[in-house]
Amino acid sequence: MTRMTPGGQSGDARLVGVGGVSVTTLSSASTSLSPDQPWIWFSDTSALISAAVSTDLGKAIQVAIGTNKAMLLDVVVAELRHRAEVDGRGSLAAIAKGVLTQFGEPVTTPKYVNTQQVRTIQAIIAGGRPLKHDLEHWAESVTIEMMRGAHQRGSRLRFRFLTEDYNARIEAAQIPTCEPWSTPRLLWELVQKGDLTPHSAAAIADDLQRVHRGPNVTAAEFAGKRRSKLGRAGQP
Amino acid sequence: MPASRLSPMGAQVFRYTRSALSGRPRNKAEAQRQGRRLAEKVRAELDLGSAAIRDLAALIETHFGVDVDLSPLGRDADGLCAHTGEQALIVASTDFPDGHVRFTMAHELGHHLLADPREVIAENGEQMYSDNIVERRVNAFAAHLLLPDAGVQSVLASLDIPADELPTGNDRVQRALGNLMYRFGVSLPALLFQLADLRVLSFDEVAVLRQTLRAGQVTARHRLAASVPQLAAPLAESVCEVVRPPQRLLETALTAARARKIGTSLLATLLDREDDAGLFEEVMGDEDDAGRPIR
């Protein structure tokens, strides 16, 4: 895993703020993506909390990211801190907060996103339900807006967005260069690539299900070719 | 979202109202007659005969190009009709008994068909039942649409209730009234009002029955006599709290959700559902990874 920040070059890609949005400095005009193009990984608060359930899931995420780049956003850190305060010591949020350093320095996002656009995405994800608090769905919305801005400006970067929120994944999937995954989907992909055994994936899924953070998925279903067996967690 | 459309029969009704009922009624009697004639025209054009209308919201949407939204919106307002040249929406609060909600829908449809010049007509019970000539006309329309003369007479005849027994309000009469409420989906006040208009009862007799009878008691007697189980009972006497978004909006949202263009949160809001995971299963059904149905 390579750490990356918007202003600083890291590996062969970097994001820079231009006109309030993030763009890549890689050859800029083409939007055609090559299969060997590296992925930029974003993780939402919900996925980090899931990773706190099982150290094996945390390791699986690191395996999936591999030598690609991961970005940790300040809004995700802020939400985790808030939830850790509310939920208290020993909570999943507090555990997740404790292992954030592996993702590097958080990126300060306000200068890279248009707040009005973020609010629009937040409203779409909420789908008309009143927000429980102002920051509900905010971190996912900021992440989606950063990816969308990069794509709209011709970035060739590909994004993987790890989030347990189905509505956020659907919204992120509208960006052609983004592949949103839930953590069960990540496990399934690893099993399909042979990077994880179906039984290990099922054991992690059991841990997630026990704390109501994932569906009941058997080893056979992880080994099967039909992602739809994961239900909502397998979509999009 | 696809445009709302009039059915050919609905268009025929509009042509009729423009040609035959375009002016304001000169008096209460004429308002009453016009409302009845319009209801009879709707029943004739839609080939409804004297049968009860089961799904009134769907009938309004299908034939008259009006979106219908039913939601528990409290009891401050019964409903509203908002209409412009191209679009029309009827909203009815379902914090009322089912029969009341159906009357509100029919009443607001009357405003729309008669091209009430107000763009937004929001009404509470007091306004709906005011002595205003415009309201009287749409109330007559609603009553005759939901409770057609021939349908009422046929039920009373089949129950063998002579006209002079009705004012007594005895057990047999209560069962008959409950039967009519159940069959036609109307409230007790609307039924009694209509029986007076149909000259089955006098207004004085109606006033007495309104004082002495309770909707719950009347429908309970009917249920007992007809062996209608409690769960299948009409909602005439209970608050229905139904949530029904406009069908056009719901279909559009369903299509978008199945195509993964939107999530399920919007559908959950439209349907007032909390269980997003269960809703996902219902919406997507058994599909493969590409969203195609599995055969």
Side-chain angles (χ1 to χ4, degrees):
Chain A
M1 181 176 69
T2 308
R3 294 168 187 169
M4 196 175 73
T5 58
Q9 193 150 2
S10 176
D12 60 352
R14 68 179 179 139
L15 296 173
V16 294
V18 176
V21 295
S22 55
V23 297
T24 178
T25 56
L26 284 173
S27 48
S28 57
S30 170
T31 53
S32 64
L33 302 173
S34 89
D36 51 3
Q37 181 77 21
W39 294 93
I40 306 296
W41 283 71
F42 289 93
S43 183
D44 174 34
T45 319
S46 62
L48 293 175
I49 290 178
S50 289
V53 172
S54 153
T55 51
D56 287 340
L57 176 57
K59 286 176 195 163
I61 292 172
Q62 299 303 327
V63 169
I65 294 173
T67 57
N68 291 292
K69 294 135 184 65
M71 290 188 78
L72 176 65
L73 303 187
D74 58 354
V75 282
V76 173
V77 176
E79 188 178 0
L80 262 186
R81 283 196 180 128
H82 171 72
R83 290 187 61 170
E85 272 177 29
V86 172
D87 298 347
R89 290 172 70 183
S91 65
L92 289 174
I95 296 167
K97 187 172 74 98
V99 295
L100 283 178
T101 49
Q102 63 184 301
F103 292 100
E105 281 299 304
V107 173
T108 308
T109 53
K111 58 187 172 184
Y112 300 118
V113 292
N114 176 326
T115 304
Q116 194 48 49
Q117 289 291 339
V118 175
R119 282 195 210 291
T120 302
I121 296 167
Q122 184 188 32
I124 290 170
I125 295 173
R129 282 176 171 156
L131 295 171
K132 291 179 188 133
H133 50 81
D134 286 351
L135 291 181
E136 191 181 18
H137 306 304
W138 187 255
E140 305 98 290
S141 306
V142 167
T143 310
I144 292 168
E145 175 55 12
M146 283 188 77
M147 295 186 291
R148 193 194 307 274
H151 170 70
Q152 282 175 348
R153 278 159 181 76
S155 167
R156 294 178 61 223
L157 289 177
R158 297 188 299 174
F159 303 106
R160 281 242 163 85
F161 179 35
L162 209 50
T163 175
E164 310 292 47
D165 184 330
Y166 173 72
N167 294 295
R169 291 200 300 277
I170 289 290
E171 187 56 18
Q174 309 310 312
I175 306 165
T177 47
C178 175
E179 206 169 78
W181 286 2
S182 66
T183 56
R185 162 90 187 262
L186 177 141
L187 296 172
W188 183 83
E189 296 281 354
L190 287 178
V191 171
Q192 299 299 312
K193 278 178 65 184
D195 289 341
L196 187 68
T197 68
H199 285 98
S200 302
I204 296 170
D206 274 353
D207 290 339
L208 289 175
Q209 199 206 358
R210 204 168 297 125
V211 292
H212 310 292
R213 296 196 67 79
N216 178 19
V217 189
T218 64
E221 286 167 339
F222 273 121
K225 297 296 172 199
R226 280 177 57 195
R227 187 159 37 90
S228 54
K229 290 290 180 189
L230 303 180
R232 197 165 62 136
Q235 301 293 333
Chain B
M1 203 158 70
S4 59
R5 287 191 187 153
L6 286 174
S7 73
M9 298 83 92
Q12 196 63 32
V13 171
F14 272 104
R15 276 193 286 277
Y16 170 77
T17 57
R18 281 189 204 114
S19 63
L21 303 174
S22 57
R24 186 183 166 88
R26 285 165 302 179
N27 52 46
K28 291 175 185 173
E30 186 172 295
Q32 201 74 21
R33 276 197 303 276
Q34 286 189 357
R36 177 172 183 162
R37 275 168 53 202
L38 177 56
E40 287 170 351
K41 179 68 177 172
V42 168
R43 281 192 161 268
E45 287 298 335
L46 305 189
D47 201 17
L48 297 173
S50 60
I53 298 171
R54 281 288 151 212
D55 192 344
L56 180 60
L59 179 139
I60 292 172
E61 288 188 335
T62 304
H63 292 288
F64 300 110
V66 182
D67 292 315
V68 177
D69 182 277
L70 305 180
S71 307
L73 300 170
R75 286 179 167 243
D76 288 342
D78 291 52
L80 69 81
C81 173
H83 54 183
T84 62
E86 301 293 315
Q87 305 282 337
L89 170 69
I90 287 174
V91 179
S93 173
T94 56
D95 275 325
F96 293 99
D98 183 59
H100 185 115
V101 175
R102 284 164 54 83
F103 193 89
T104 301
M105 277 191 278
H107 174 104
E108 300 302 340
L109 174 64
H111 278 303
H112 179 61
L113 294 179
L114 289 159
D116 188 311
R118 293 172 291 170
E119 282 199 349
V120 179
I121 309 148
E123 296 170 300
N124 59 26
E126 201 173 308
Q127 290 155 327
M128 276 175 62
Y129 297 106
S130 71
D131 216 17
N132 177 310
I133 216 162
V134 172
E135 296 302 324
R136 184 175 275 263
R137 181 166 64 170
V138 289
N139 280 337
F141 164 74
H144 283 278
L145 181 67
L146 296 174
L147 269 168
D149 191 358
V152 172
Q153 302 293 359
S154 130
V155 169
L156 291 177
S158 71
L159 296 173
D160 200 20
I161 304 279
D164 59 357
E165 190 178 345
L166 275 172
T168 66
N170 65 21
D171 284 2
R172 259 165 52 84
V173 168
Q174 288 184 34
R175 282 200 294 276
L177 295 176
N179 187 311
L180 285 165
M181 287 172 67
Y182 177 79
R183 192 173 297 219
F184 291 98
V186 293
S187 65
L188 182 60
L191 171 61
L192 293 174
F193 180 84
Q194 180 67 342
L195 291 177
D197 193 56
L198 297 175
R199 309 264 193 275
V200 174
L201 290 168
S202 71
F203 281 99
D204 289 342
E205 289 164 345
V206 163
V208 173
L209 291 175
R210 283 195 67 170
Q211 292 275 326
T212 54
L213 298 181
R214 293 286 169 268
Q217 163 198 8
V218 167
T219 51
R221 288 203 195 283
H222 163 65
R223 277 204 304 271
L224 192 64
S227 299
V228 179
Q230 187 68 33
L231 286 176
L235 294 167
E237 77 271 27
S238 61
V239 171
C240 68
E241 292 180 338
V242 162
V243 173
R244 179 204 187 274
Q247 199 62 25
R248 209 159 52 103
L249 178 60
L250 182 60
E251 285 292 340
T252 304
L254 272 169
T255 303
R258 288 192 184 116
R260 274 71 164 177
K261 297 291 182 196
I262 64 168
T264 46
S265 55
L266 180 62
L267 280 172
T269 303
L270 285 175
L271 297 168
D272 196 27
R273 293 270 298 262
E274 296 290 333
D275 56 330
D276 285 27
L279 187 59
F280 175 88
E281 299 297 329
E282 285 175 42
V283 170
M284 302 303 177
D286 203 6
E287 291 185 344
D288 69 9
D289 294 349
R292 293 178 297 251
I294 295 168
R295 303 189 192 287

